[in-house]
């Protein structure tokens, strides 16, 4: 019975609170992605950030959908050398990586203090 497990809720909330303004938040697995999507898309929190599922960037359908749903995001036509690097280079915004951990939500934003 997982009805008393609020770790995903705590993670999603912390993620939205910790993200710098206008940041790109890269997620990497189901747990961090679904928590981020729920708070960002379903609850409408932090419309200034963009949640990007890094493992899905290799799929054309995902990049097309991402570009259509995130109007301020520039999604280049070619990876350079990776899709992540191309997106980061094309968007002058803070970049963060989400990592789900029930004990301590982690949002790493290299280059920011």
């Amino acid at each position: 019975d997982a009805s008393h497990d609020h770790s995903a809720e705590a993670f999603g909330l912390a993620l939205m609170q910790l993200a710098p303004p206008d940041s790109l938040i890269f997620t990497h697995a189901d747990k961090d992605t679904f928590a981020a999507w729920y708070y960002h898309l379903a609850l409408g929190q932090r419309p200034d950030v963009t949640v990007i599922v890094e493992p899905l960037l290799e799929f054309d359908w995902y990049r097309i959908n991402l570009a259509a749903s995130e109007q301020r995001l520039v999604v280049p036509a070619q990876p350079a050398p990776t899709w992540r690097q191309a997106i980061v280079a094309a968007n002058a915004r803070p970049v963060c990586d989400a990592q789900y951990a029930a004990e301590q939500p982690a949002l790493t934003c290299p280059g920011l203090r």
Side-chain angles (χ1 to χ4, degrees):
D1 178 12
S3 64
H4 299 292
D5 181 358
H6 300 283
S7 58
E9 179 181 6
F11 174 77
L13 184 59
L15 192 66
M16 293 299 119
Q17 290 174 342
L18 294 171
D22 204 35
S23 57
L24 303 175
I25 301 173
F26 285 90
T27 62
H28 306 280
D30 289 350
K31 286 185 177 182
D32 57 354
T33 297
F34 293 130
W37 274 348
Y38 178 71
Y39 275 86
H40 180 62
L41 300 173
L43 298 182
Q45 292 188 7
R46 298 298 306 271
D48 60 307
V49 304
T50 300
V51 175
I52 302 169
V53 185
E54 188 167 357
L56 295 181
L57 285 172
E58 68 181 87
F59 300 105
D60 292 339
W61 64 265
Y62 178 71
R63 292 190 310 278
I64 291 166
N65 185 53
L66 186 62
S69 64
E70 296 288 342
Q71 302 297 318
R72 298 177 311 114
L73 183 70
V74 176
V75 179
Q78 298 289 328
T82 68
W83 286 109
R84 177 191 171 111
Q85 290 169 323
I87 288 172
V88 168
N91 295 274
R93 297 167 64 179
V95 177
C96 301
D97 284 284
Q99 181 178 8
Y100 183 88
E103 309 81 35
Q104 179 66 36
L107 184 67
T108 307
C109 306
L112 297 178
R113 296 175 191 203

